[in-house]
Amino acid sequence: GAVVSQHPSWVICKSGTSVKIECRSLDFQATTMFWYRQFPKQSLMLMATSNEGSKATYEQGVEKDKFLINHASLTLSTLTVTSAHPEDSSFYICSAPKQGAGGYTFGSGTRLTVV
Amino acid sequence: QKEVEQNSGPLSVPEGAIASLNCTYSDRGSQSFFWYRQYSGKSPELIMSIYSNGDKEDGRFTAQLNKASQYVSLLIRDSQPSDSATYLCAVNIVSSGGSNYKLTFGKGTLLTVNP
């Protein structure tokens, strides 16, 4: 139980375009979703926390106008990288708290390459 | 001081040996501690969670927590080549606003188990 489905698993886009990443909770309601970014050989860095029906909370240094987060329903949170640049190339991962059991469940990640 | 610190390694052990992974954290108020395993290009998967001082065993894995020393460790007994991966220590740390927790990761320790 507590599965988060993340799509796409990889995407290549041109510089200046926008890319949307989706995370869906399949068998539970995710009122909160965490969005992480991981550069090669680095750890996961929290970008923002989305809460269903309210504005996302962004970590210091993360541009909220560039990384648009929408959490319009209890089963879907999206991250849109707007006007992507090569430096945005990274591994993006979503995560939701598990209900009751404690801990967190992670999506399978999205490898974004901006060319 | 970084919030969650790990020796980045790499750590290399022979098959059948005990691998010892260590982690320290800065927030004395933290209550939840996790060890994740991450294979290259994949999302993290939970190995162990620990919430109380002492040891917690699950198969070949033992997590140890010492809140007074702000230290958490993971022991892997009878290490197997399939255990070769990056191990991430993660701690729930109070966010800057003070009202929520965020899961904060260490940089990870790369473990290689040699056949």
Side-chain angles (χ1 to χ4, degrees), chain A residues 3-24:
Chain A
V3 175
V4 172
S5 176
Q6 183 171 349
H7 293 280
S9 56
W10 61 270
V11 57
I12 301 173
C13 71
K14 290 185 177 180
S15 188
T17 61
S18 295
V19 173
K20 179 185 283 188
I21 301 170
E22 292 188 350
C23 279
R24 293 181 183 273

Side-chain angles (χ1 to χ4, degrees), chain A residues 34 36 38 41-44 46 59 91 93 98 101-104 106-109 111, chain B residues 34 36 38 41-46 51 88 92 95 101-108:
Chain A
F34 300 98
Y36 292 87
Q38 186 178 34
K41 299 191 185 300
Q42 300 291 317
S43 190
L44 280 75
L46 182 64
E59 295 299 302
F91 192 49
I93 309 171
K98 289 185 178 180
Y104 301 80
F106 284 81
S108 55
R111 172 74 59 193
Chain B
F34 308 90
Y36 286 88
Q38 186 178 30
K42 301 294 184 182
S43 192
E45 55 178 318
L46 181 67
Y51 306 97
L88 300 166
N92 256 344
S95 64
Y101 284 86
K102 60 179 183 178
L103 191 62
T104 302
F105 287 84
K107 203 171 179 180

Side-chain angles (χ1 to χ4, degrees), chain A residues 62-78:
Chain A
V62 177
E63 300 175 59
K64 61 180 181 180
D65 294 330
K66 179 171 180 62
F67 299 98
L68 302 179
I69 289 174
N70 185 283
H71 197 149
S73 79
L74 289 170
T75 58
L76 176 64
S77 177
T78 63

Side-chain angles (χ1 to χ4, degrees), chain A residues 15 26 34 38 56 60 65 72-73 83 86 95 107 113 115:
Chain A
S15 188
L26 298 185
F34 300 98
Q38 186 178 34
Q60 193 171 14
D65 294 330
S73 79
S83 186
S95 173
T113 302
V115 298

